[in-house]
Amino acid sequence: MTAFSLEPVQLAWCAELRALAAERLGPLADKGETGRVNRALVAELGSLGLLGRLFTSGALDLCLMRESLAYACTEAETALALQGLGAHPVHAYGTRAQRDRWLPGVTAGTAIAAFALSEPGAGSDAAALELRAEADAAAQDDRASDAPPSAADPALTAAPDGPARWRLSGEKCWISNAPEADFYTVFARTTPGAGARGVTAFLVPADRPGLTGRGLDMLSPHPIGALDFDAVPVTADDVLGETDRGFRVAMGTLNLFRPSVGAFAVGMAQAALDATLAHTAGRDAFGGKLKDLQTVAHQVAEMAVRTEAARLMVHAAASAYDADAPDVPRRSAMAKLLATETAQYVVDTAVQLHGARALQRGHLLEHLYREVRAPRIYEGASEVQRGIIAKELYARQEAR
């Protein structure tokens, strides 16, 4: 189950991905506008067949893709990851009609997906979300009287395949690709007071009446925004999975993507490490090269050890997911925690060893320094991962 080393074909594929990222994706990323979806970049990911692999590959291949792309072009990596995060619930839990409607566009790079879980008051505590999915009284009256679905409210005709069963009201916040996505995987409370057991996942097209959004000015270069739901109509045909079982959809998606967030972090750490090796080997200092100073050499060694340890844990977690192992939540949390914290350390140390030049706008490390911070927060902050790990360890202890 645990992948301690990669096969030659996997190593060759990773090298190919790094080359593609540098030669074909990087130039498109450079033309993108900060805070906006780079549709040309997403379309190129589609034409290269990489978006399609999101739904045909295992977790280990996903991690290899994300690490390889992150090494050479973090924007391409993030664009690919967000397509996967937003559309995986459709792939894994959607009906055939939902998959046929949206996944071809996602894989081609013409439909932008987004994962809408976080709220202003429910970030780390995802089970506390408050976006309400309230039963639609007009639709209930229509069904009871056998009246035409649009008789009570013309807006109901905007919800496909019949009248709205629920109306979504509330706010989502810190949603990547919002407000420019073409559809959202939205998690809403269908049963008040039921905690995680009362949440339902919905596939909500961006053009539904009552759904509006706004961009947020964030540190990250990719788009992040807030969504406002003003009685947005949804039907049973929009449900992903089962009613009141949406938390399972969310956690199933995060268990897959958390190790790959770690892979993203490892890719950034490796890029920072390689830049540091080149810099310290060529930089003249104190009568020799910077690498000849023992304190510098030891720091570089520590960076390398931590990066490789994080990579191995990411591969182990991904392999466990692919093997359908029982301890996937713990392994996924460990991989994300170690890799993201490691990348923060490695990039910060690389900046320190490069000096002021690393803080100049446009420098690789200035870019990585901005990129490396967010993964320690999104898809479950480091503190949340520690809580998951501890919970899983104690549960296993009690079961003995």
Side-chain angles (χ1 to χ4, degrees), residues 355-377:
R357 72 191 68 231
L359 301 179
Q360 285 184 291
R361 289 287 183 183
H363 193 282
L364 169 65
L365 289 173
E366 181 269 336
H367 173 75
L368 292 177
Y369 200 71
R370 285 184 287 111
E371 287 274 24
V372 79
R373 187 60 183 87
R376 293 172 60 206
I377 297 174

Side-chain angles (χ1 to χ4, degrees), residues 371-395:
E371 287 274 24
V372 79
R373 187 60 183 87
R376 293 172 60 206
I377 297 174
Y378 64 62
E379 294 185 40
S382 292
E383 292 75 15
V384 171
Q385 305 310 318
R386 292 185 176 97
I388 293 171
I389 294 164
K391 179 181 177 180
E392 293 288 326
L393 289 173
Y394 283 117

Side-chain angles (χ1 to χ4, degrees), residues 67-138:
E67 179 185 341
S68 301
L69 293 177
Y71 180 84
C73 182
T74 58
E75 295 90 344
E77 185 284 334
T78 301
L80 175 131
L82 294 181
Q83 287 290 86
L85 183 65
H88 175 77
V90 182
H91 166 71
Y93 301 95
T95 64
R96 181 172 181 175
Q98 290 169 332
R99 295 195 299 270
D100 290 347
R101 169 66 181 87
W102 291 105
L103 293 187
V106 171
T107 58
T110 57
I112 303 300
F115 186 82
L117 178 62
S118 296
E119 299 178 3
S124 295
D125 186 7
L129 62 85
E130 296 181 353
L131 180 73
R132 304 183 306 281
E134 299 172 320
D136 190 275

